[in-house]
């Protein structure tokens, strides 16, 4: 069962509870399914009970108790536990990881893309004269919003008074992503809250990240972008040559190295005549959870205008892959088995997610590092 299928299962459980008179709520359009948070357990979790508590006139835990029997009777669900104020945690039957890997194989680089912003225009306002961090954040958000079906438009309240440092913003736009930037022909752009502003346009989101203490362009386009995108918007970015070091202490290196290792595993497996085949892989809950949670992270990054959420999730995924990658290929005279093929398929899926996430941030994912 994939996260999408589990989401449908959750909605069916809500519908059953409503039809049987146990809940008096409107069945929501979608149920968010993610990897369990702190204090959670199992393969996936959902906050649907917290979402329905107020309209149902019950506590979230009571709603979860009502939904639990309907969920435990669902095919593919081995167990359902309630944690915290009312989170529903799922332990799936055999094949959950294999189904997830198949889904990633099918969707490729667009795995995790959704339609939560379908047809919406998302105006992003840079309210101060040229600031390189605001420009890089806006540039990443253009792609992240597009991955959720929306179209971001970047506006400047003031025309830049200086020539922007070259960080190769235009170089990394994928050809299928439409970017929209509104540049004023003079010094001032009409303020979005002015009385004559177009009434039907949504209010722009001001981008005011804490400025970088110094120019990041000497780090190069990849490390420079990472230095500006990885910290949360309210944190001051650290502009340091540490972002260029090829060692474990550098999160960017771990992410790109994990992707390169996934590609190397595929090449080495091909030399052994082995190809990936999705199957159950025990002991990789952290990696499977990171891959399963990736779509929700992309959604939250788009809705909260927070590319740092994506960057940090890529580090989590990379660390889980690096801890697992030593077990993928046969050792010594060992022959490739079904277990090796399942591990290889999982590693390949992780590499696909890492490449897709880095692309959305405008950072390259080299096959060799």
């Amino acid at each position: 069962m994939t996260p999408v299928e589990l989401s449908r299962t959750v909605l069916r459980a809500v519908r059953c509870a409503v039809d049987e008179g146990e809940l008096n709520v409107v069945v929501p359009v979608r149920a968010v399914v993610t990897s369990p948070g702190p204090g959670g357990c199992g393969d996936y979790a959902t906050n649907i009970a917290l979402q329905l508590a107020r309209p149902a006139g019950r506590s979230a835990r009571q709603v979860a108790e009502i939904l639990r029997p309907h969920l435990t009777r669902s095919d593919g669900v081995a167990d359902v536990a309630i944690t915290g104020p009312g989170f529903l945690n799922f332990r799936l039957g055999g094949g959950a990881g294999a189904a997830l890997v198949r889904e990633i194989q099918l969707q490729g680089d667009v795995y995790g893309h959704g339609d939560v912003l379908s047809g919406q225009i998302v105006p992003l306002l840079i309210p101060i004269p040229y600031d390189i961090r605001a420009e890089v954040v806006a540039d990443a958000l253009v792609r992240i919003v597009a991955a959720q079906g929306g179209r971001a438009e970047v506006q400047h309240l003031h025309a830049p008074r200086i020539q922007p440092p070259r960080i190769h913003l235009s170089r990394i736009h994928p050809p299928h992503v439409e970017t929209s930037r509104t540049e004023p022909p003079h010094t001032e752009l009409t303020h979005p809250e002015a009385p004559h502003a177009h009434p039907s346009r949504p209010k722009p989101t001001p981008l005011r990240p804490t400025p970088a203490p110094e120019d990041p362009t000497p780090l190069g386009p990849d490390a420079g972008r990472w230095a500006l995108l990885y910290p949360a918007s309210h944190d001051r970015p650290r502009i340091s040559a540490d972002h260029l070091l090829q060692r474990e202490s550098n999160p960017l290196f771990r992410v790109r190295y994990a992707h390169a290792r996934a590609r190397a595993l595929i090449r080495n497996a091909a030399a052994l005549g082995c190809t990936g085949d999705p199957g159950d892989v025990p002991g990789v809950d952290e990696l499977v959870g990171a891959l399963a949670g990736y779509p929700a992270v992309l959604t939250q990054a788009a809705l909260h205008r927070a590319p740092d959420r994506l960057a940090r999730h890529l580090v989590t995924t990379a660390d889980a892959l690096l801890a697992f990658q030593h077990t993928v290929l046969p050792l010594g005279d060992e022959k490739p088995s079904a277990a090796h093929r399942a591990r290889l398929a999982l590693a390949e899926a992780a590499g696909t997610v890492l490449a897709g996430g880095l692309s959305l941030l405008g950072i390259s994912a080299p096959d060799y590092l």
Side-chain angles (χ1 to χ4, degrees):
M1 181 180 293
T2 68
V4 173
E5 292 169 338
L6 182 56
S7 176
R8 298 190 187 115
T9 298
V10 171
L11 293 179
R12 283 196 296 270
V14 174
R15 192 171 294 108
C16 287
V18 170
D19 291 344
E20 295 179 13
E22 298 172 295
L23 288 176
N24 184 18
V25 295
V26 175
V27 179
V29 176
R30 62 194 297 264
V32 176
V33 172
T34 64
S35 55
C41 60
D43 300 306
Y44 300 105
T46 181
N47 66 347
I48 191 70
L50 284 75
Q51 179 182 340
L52 297 177
R54 184 183 293 274
R58 299 171 179 265
S59 70
R61 198 164 186 92
Q62 288 174 325
V63 174
E65 292 286 0
I66 291 171
L67 295 178
R68 185 174 180 273
H70 297 283
L71 292 166
T72 54
R73 292 194 292 267
S74 302
D75 293 337
V77 176
D79 188 33
V80 180
I82 301 172
T83 61
F87 292 101
L88 287 158
N89 295 253
F90 303 92
R91 183 171 61 83
L92 303 184
L100 175 63
V101 170
R102 290 191 189 96
E103 182 180 358
I104 296 173
Q105 287 180 336
L106 180 65
Q107 297 188 25
D109 289 343
V110 299
Y111 167 70
H113 292 205
D115 58 1
V116 69
L117 295 175
S118 179
Q120 297 185 34
I121 295 176
V122 179
L124 305 171
L125 176 68
I126 299 180
I128 57 178
Y130 186 83
D131 174 74
I132 193 168
R133 190 181 186 196
E135 295 286 346
V136 170
V137 168
D139 189 72
L141 285 174
V142 166
R143 279 183 299 280
I144 292 173
V145 167
Q148 296 302 313
R151 182 164 64 90
E153 293 183 348
V154 183
Q155 306 169 7
H156 294 80
L157 187 58
H158 302 274
R161 292 181 171 84
I162 60 174
Q163 182 67 27
R166 295 187 63 80
I167 197 166
H168 305 290
L169 292 180
S170 61
R171 174 178 68 82
I172 43 70
H173 285 303
H176 66 280
V177 175
E178 176 185 357
T179 62
S180 179
R181 291 179 175 273
T182 303
E183 297 284 357
H186 47 78
T187 301
E188 296 289 335
L189 178 70
T190 302
H191 195 282
E193 296 181 358
H196 55 279
H198 198 290
S200 64
R201 293 184 64 82
K203 184 178 179 180
T205 301
L207 298 180
R208 297 189 182 94
T210 302
E214 55 189 284
D215 183 7
T217 53
L219 297 177
D222 288 329
R225 279 181 168 276
W226 182 268
L228 299 175
L229 294 173
Y230 180 66
S233 179
H234 58 270
D235 292 332
R236 185 173 295 278
R238 180 174 54 85
I239 307 304
S240 164
D242 290 347
H243 293 294
L244 300 173
L245 297 177
Q246 296 196 29
R247 58 179 60 170
E248 290 184 2
S249 60
N250 180 3
L252 174 59
F253 169 72
R254 298 205 305 273
V255 172
R256 299 174 85 202
Y257 178 65
H259 170 264
R261 284 300 304 149
R263 302 304 301 172
L265 289 170
I266 296 169
R267 293 192 300 270
N268 295 338
L272 297 174
C274 178
T275 57
D277 184 21
D280 289 334
V281 181
V284 290
D285 293 348
E286 186 175 355
L287 179 56
V288 171
L291 299 181
Y294 178 71
V297 170
L298 287 187
T299 299
Q300 293 304 310
L303 294 178
H304 294 278
R305 321 293 190 246
D308 57 286
R309 297 191 180 201
L310 171 57
R312 290 196 297 272
H313 189 76
L314 293 180
V315 175
T316 299
T317 305
D319 288 344
L321 174 57
L322 290 174
F324 153 75
Q325 51 105 12
H326 302 288
T327 67
V328 172
L329 296 181
L331 299 176
D333 296 332
E334 189 179 7
K335 299 296 183 182
S337 65
H340 294 116
R341 289 190 288 272
R343 293 174 198 148
L344 179 62
L346 178 59
E348 184 176 3
T352 297
V353 168
L354 292 173
L358 285 172
S359 176
L360 290 175
L361 295 177
I363 297 173
S364 65
D367 288 352
Y368 298 87
L369 196 63

